Amino acid sequence: MSEITLEELGVALPPTQDELPCDDGIPIETQRHKVQMNLLIHSLLPWLDQRSDGYASGNMFVYFSLAQVRNQDFRGPDFFAVLGVPKKERKSWVVWEEGKAPDVVIELLSDSTAQADKNEKKLIYQNQLRVPEYFWFDPFNPNDWAGFFLKHGVYHPITPNAQNQLVSQSLGLALQHWQGTYEGVEATWLRWATLDGELLPTFEEQERQRAEQAQSLLQQTIRNLLQEGMTVEQVARLTGLSQVQIEQFR
């Protein structure tokens, strides 16, 4: 007996991500907001690479109801992460296609959005999307940050731990402040970290760490060879470096 599809029965199917708008043409607030969004995403991606599932993105539409689509009430969290889903490219996050809402949402506050982020959007994430954890952070006022977890359908504040971290139980990670330079901007940033306070590095930071470790190992090897009695010329031939470079290590 052949199966009868919903289309053959005349039942309208909900739109797919290929059929839904994925860009409203509105740029993200400021350079610092964009850099902060990138830092949150790019530091979580290497962590997700160690898993067989998961997705993280930002400034992407999240669709959760057909009424929202009809009203063109687009919602684009500055950052969101989801576990338990396939790793693949998305144009938008469509809840009825994915089977779940994001596990974590972060909104980056600004003068024009703070009121909505703390009230209207918070209620939407609580009541309609039922996002397990919601955080906000002001890139220009780092002390204005907060986290909430969903319990019995209501958001409750996440209390900072002894390390002044806001812990995400969904991810088993924490959000914490970090003073430093990223993408050429010096500021106090919001970063993902382990519960021990170890920052999750971006791919670029990982590569830099590996390069520094390799350089340190090479320097120590050269010093050891020179101390064992090899000449500068011999070490240069062995390592492929110039004699001037070898002299610098000595």
Side-chain angles (χ1 to χ4, degrees), residues 61-180:
F61 287 158
V62 173
Y63 290 96
F64 55 87
S65 76
L66 294 181
Q68 173 203 9
V69 175
R70 286 193 298 271
N71 297 333
Q72 296 188 352
D73 184 17
F74 306 131
R75 297 288 163 185
D78 292 319
F79 170 91
F80 69 92
V82 201
L83 299 183
V85 295
K87 292 185 173 183
K88 63 179 183 179
E89 182 185 13
R90 274 96 170 170
K91 293 181 180 178
S92 301
W93 189 266
V94 184
V95 171
W96 55 83
E97 284 190 319
E98 304 288 351
K100 65 178 298 186
D103 292 308
V104 175
V105 164
I106 302 174
E107 291 288 4
L108 303 177
L109 306 180
S110 69
D111 291 341
S112 62
T113 67
Q115 192 67 21
D117 290 338
K118 294 181 178 182
N119 296 281
E120 175 190 346
K121 283 189 178 180
K122 182 185 174 188
L123 289 177
I124 290 174
Y125 295 139
Q126 171 186 279
N127 299 332
Q128 295 175 266
L129 269 165
R130 296 180 177 85
V131 175
E133 292 172 337
Y134 173 52
F135 300 87
W136 70 57
F137 175 74
D138 187 339
F140 287 96
N141 181 16
N143 291 325
D144 191 356
W145 69 321
F148 304 87
F149 68 96
L150 197 64
K151 183 178 180 180
H152 304 309
V154 178
Y155 274 143
H156 297 266
I158 297 174
T159 303
N161 63 14
Q163 290 75 41
N164 197 33
Q165 297 175 318
L166 295 178
V167 175
S168 166
Q169 298 293 342
S170 297
L171 301 184
L173 297 172
L175 289 165
Q176 67 182 46
H177 292 129
W178 173 71
Q179 181 70 34

Side-chain angles (χ1 to χ4, degrees), residues 220 222-230:
Q220 188 58 52
I222 290 172
R223 292 191 183 100
N224 291 341
L225 292 173
L226 292 171
Q227 288 172 2
E228 290 172 3
M230 291 185 68

Side-chain angles (χ1 to χ4, degrees), residues 178-205:
W178 173 71
Q179 181 70 34
T181 301
Y182 187 69
E183 293 188 4
V185 181
E186 168 74 24
T188 299
W189 304 104
L190 188 68
R191 290 198 62 158
W192 290 108
T194 67
L195 301 188
D196 295 327
E198 182 179 350
L199 296 175
L200 299 192
T202 65
F203 287 118
E204 293 80 4
E205 288 171 334

Side-chain angles (χ1 to χ4, degrees), residues 198-235:
E198 182 179 350
L199 296 175
L200 299 192
T202 65
F203 287 118
E204 293 80 4
E205 288 171 334
Q206 285 183 343
E207 287 301 316
R208 187 163 60 248
Q209 288 173 3
R210 279 193 282 266
E212 290 172 352
Q213 290 169 357
Q215 179 73 1
S216 177
L217 179 60
L218 176 61
Q219 291 175 354
Q220 188 58 52
T221 299
I222 290 172
R223 292 191 183 100
N224 291 341
L225 292 173
L226 292 171
Q227 288 172 2
E228 290 172 3
M230 291 185 68
T231 67
V232 170
E233 184 179 0
Q234 289 173 324
V235 175

